[in-house]
Amino acid sequence: MLRAGFDSLLTLVILLVFTGFAVAALVFAAMAREDAYRAAEKQTKKFWLILLGINLALNLLLPMLFLQIAGLIAAIVFMVDVRPALAQVSGGGRGGRRGGGSSSDGPYGPYNGGR
């Protein structure tokens, strides 16, 4: 009896985590500009919105673990490959300069070359 309660709780936690990750990936995909997808040489914005939208719908409507795992893989690919590439071409990546600092600025202020 305790095992059944644990299994259902674990299933609920997995569902919530997968769904939350799917929502986050879909929001990030929707916020990026269409031309950034082309500049990063990734699939189109429409492709990712459809793929991630189907993933979210399957998580909510048809909670079957193998479908959720397939959707999770798609969301992971977006988050670790496509999203950083979009941020880089949009100027929002870690390498992009925020605030218009000098090219000699380091992460904690200006770099003076040991002078």
Side-chain angles (χ1 to χ4, degrees):
M1 182 125 152
L2 183 61
R3 171 106 174 135
F6 177 76
D7 287 348
S8 62
L9 179 63
L10 182 63
T11 302
L12 178 63
V13 168
I14 289 172
L15 174 69
L16 291 175
V17 169
F18 284 12
T19 303
F21 198 69
V23 167
L26 185 62
V27 167
F28 284 123
M31 288 179 13
R33 296 186 336 250
E34 174 67 40
D35 61 331
Y37 286 87
R38 288 190 305 273
E41 297 180 354
K42 300 297 178 185
Q43 292 288 336
T44 64
K45 180 175 185 173
K46 184 177 180 179
F47 170 85
W48 283 107
L49 289 176
I50 290 171
L51 185 68
L52 296 171
I54 290 171
N55 172 26
L56 181 59
L58 288 176
N59 275 332
L60 295 174
L61 302 175
L62 199 64
M64 299 166 83
L65 190 59
F66 71 95
L67 291 175
Q68 289 176 333
I69 291 173
L72 179 66
I73 291 170
I76 288 172
V77 167
F78 178 83
M79 294 296 268
V80 301
D81 181 42
V82 178
R83 183 174 171 235
L86 294 175
Q88 187 175 15
V89 299
S90 298
R94 292 176 189 238
R97 284 190 254 152
R98 295 180 187 166
S102 166
S103 63
S104 65
D105 283 354
Y108 305 107
Y111 176 72
N112 62 8
R115 290 180 249 165

